[in-house]
Amino acid sequence: MTHSSTETPSRSSTVRMSRVLHVSWVVALGLGATVGLGVFTLLGEFSALTARRVGLAYAVVLPFSVPILLTFLERALSVPGTGGAYQFARTNRFLWHRFFSGWLLFGGYVVTVALLSWGVAFYLETLVAETGFRLPLNRSWLAALSVALIMASTLFNRRLNWQRRFVLTMAAVGILLLVLVMGIVIPSSSISSVRPLPASMLLLEVVTLMTSCLWGIYLVLGVRAQLQRPTTNMRWALVLPVVGLAIVGMLAGVAMSLYGGALQNTSLPLVDVLRSFNVATAGLVLLLYLLAGLAITLMAANRAILAAAQLLDRMSNDGFVPKLNQYLPDLENPAFPAIVLGSGLSLGLVLFCLLYTSPSPRDHSRYRVCRLLRETAGGGGGGGGG
């Protein structure tokens, strides 16, 4: 006689639902990266290229991004599995396509981290100056130090939970909107004259550069397997960060066009706009704006580094990155070797980018975003690089 019994699964063997992320948390993740990079960090560069008529360029970014959003939305809903854009490339039967896609994505993450860390250095240096301290700070070393600290926090799993990240991101964007509304409503000491709109070709070049700020989409795709009700919420998670970048950028363009003074801090032009206000709370708002910029760029850089490490972990499973588990057999976390390797490669590439500050005679003003690391006072000596 056969005796059959049903076993009650223990608490440790219970399968848990993996889709635990609310759509607002994922939207905040993408918004923090797009606005943190596109407005908090690169607003000064974009406004310099467009003679402060940068609002039109931000408006054009939205329709310019529609094909990109539709493509990623279709792939995100049709390709199963975890992972971001690299998972889409894994469905291709050509090995070389998967190889180059993975390394191109990794290079994009490295550039994103370098730009965000440069923004961290901007805000940290300005914040120290606003507090009254006169310290000889070097932006390149500040940016490299911020990357090293973020990597250390990632290795030791010191990351904010999703609720706190959502609150901090929304608070930073809210402070930015307050600054922009003040810049539009409160008149500055001198109203600027209306400048001609940039030429069409220059506008398209600036819009093309602005699309590099859409890396928040890749961060959203990286957590798509954890998003609740992805069929409904994925479209909002991808679209709202881009819409937020366009709206905030257009408001920043209006505030910049109304400011008539000379920009002393070309890296953070909104700082000069705030300093021109003749209201008692201008100093407090300026301090909050600097803290918001520092927080949102740090959080975005942290997520970009983590996404790059996860990408290397998946590439190591495909044989494109050597596995370090055989050299570090006692580690319990299998992703730790990929994080170590990714952190080393990222730090080396970021240091190379940040410390290369020699100006080149071949530089042109329209390529200032690519040559963002040039010192305004004439960077390090030696012949110019390409």
Side-chain angles (χ1 to χ4, degrees), residues 29 32-33 37 105-117 147 150-151 154 159 165 215-216 218-220 296-312 342-343 346 350:
L29 171 65
L37 184 59
L105 284 172
F106 178 73
Y109 282 124
V110 170
V111 174
T112 302
V113 171
L115 291 174
L116 287 170
S117 64
V147 173
I150 295 171
M151 288 181 177
T154 304
R159 299 193 297 270
R165 185 182 301 275
W215 274 87
Y218 292 93
L219 299 183
V220 170
I296 199 170
T297 49
L298 279 172
M299 289 188 295
N302 173 264
R303 292 301 305 184
I305 291 176
L306 182 61
Q310 293 172 346
L311 171 63
L312 284 180
S343 300
S346 301
V350 169

Side-chain angles (χ1 to χ4, degrees), residues 43-293:
L43 176 62
E45 301 298 324
F46 294 148
S47 63
L49 294 174
T50 56
R52 297 197 220 174
R53 306 292 296 188
V54 70
L56 180 61
Y58 280 107
V60 177
V61 164
L62 189 57
F64 204 80
S65 306
V66 169
I68 302 174
L69 293 174
L70 291 178
T71 300
F72 279 130
L73 179 61
E74 187 274 333
R75 300 299 291 169
L77 296 179
S78 60
V79 177
T82 61
Y86 180 67
Q87 181 66 24
F88 306 156
R90 295 184 71 182
T91 59
N92 195 299
R93 62 187 181 90
F94 295 105
L95 192 64
W96 63 267
H97 182 269
R98 191 186 309 173
F99 175 83
F100 284 110
S101 297
W103 282 110
L104 284 174
L105 284 172
F106 178 73
Y109 282 124
V110 170
V111 174
T112 302
V113 171
L115 291 174
L116 287 170
S117 64
W118 197 248
V120 172
F122 284 158
Y123 286 97
L124 188 58
E125 182 185 36
T126 308
L127 185 61
V128 171
E130 287 296 323
T131 55
F133 295 98
R134 295 293 182 265
L135 300 178
L137 300 177
N138 184 280
R139 290 181 180 177
S140 300
W141 286 110
L142 279 177
L145 179 62
S146 67
V147 173
L149 292 177
I150 295 171
M151 288 181 177
S153 67
T154 304
L155 291 177
F156 291 101
N157 199 25
R158 301 296 183 183
R159 299 193 297 270
L160 293 174
N161 58 35
W162 287 96
Q163 294 91 335
R164 293 180 181 177
R165 185 182 301 275
F166 170 77
V167 172
L168 288 176
T169 301
M170 291 297 104
V173 175
I175 293 172
L176 175 61
L177 291 175
L178 174 63
V179 172
L180 298 179
V181 171
M182 291 177 64
I184 296 173
V185 175
I186 301 176
S188 61
S189 56
S190 60
I191 302 298
S192 61
S193 59
V194 178
R195 295 178 176 84
L197 295 178
S200 58
M201 291 305 299
L202 178 59
L203 177 65
L204 290 178
E205 291 181 13
V206 176
V207 171
T208 304
L209 291 174
M210 283 183 175
T211 55
S212 63
C213 304
L214 301 181
W215 274 87
I217 296 176
Y218 292 93
L219 299 183
V220 170
L221 292 173
V223 297
R224 65 189 178 98
Q226 301 171 264
L227 179 63
Q228 297 176 355
R229 296 189 298 274
T231 305
T232 304
N233 293 333
M234 181 57 67
R235 68 189 69 177
W236 301 113
L238 292 176
V239 172
L240 289 182
V242 182
V243 174
L245 172 65
I247 294 176
V248 175
M250 287 188 288
L251 291 176
V254 175
M256 292 288 296
S257 62
L258 294 177
Y259 177 71
L263 291 176
Q264 302 296 327
N265 192 340
T266 56
S267 302
L268 302 177
L270 292 180
V271 172
D272 291 332
V273 175
L274 281 170
R275 286 172 178 168
S276 66
F277 295 157
N278 294 323
V279 293
T281 58
L284 177 60
V285 175
L286 175 59
L287 180 62
L288 291 176
Y289 170 70
L290 294 176
L291 291 175

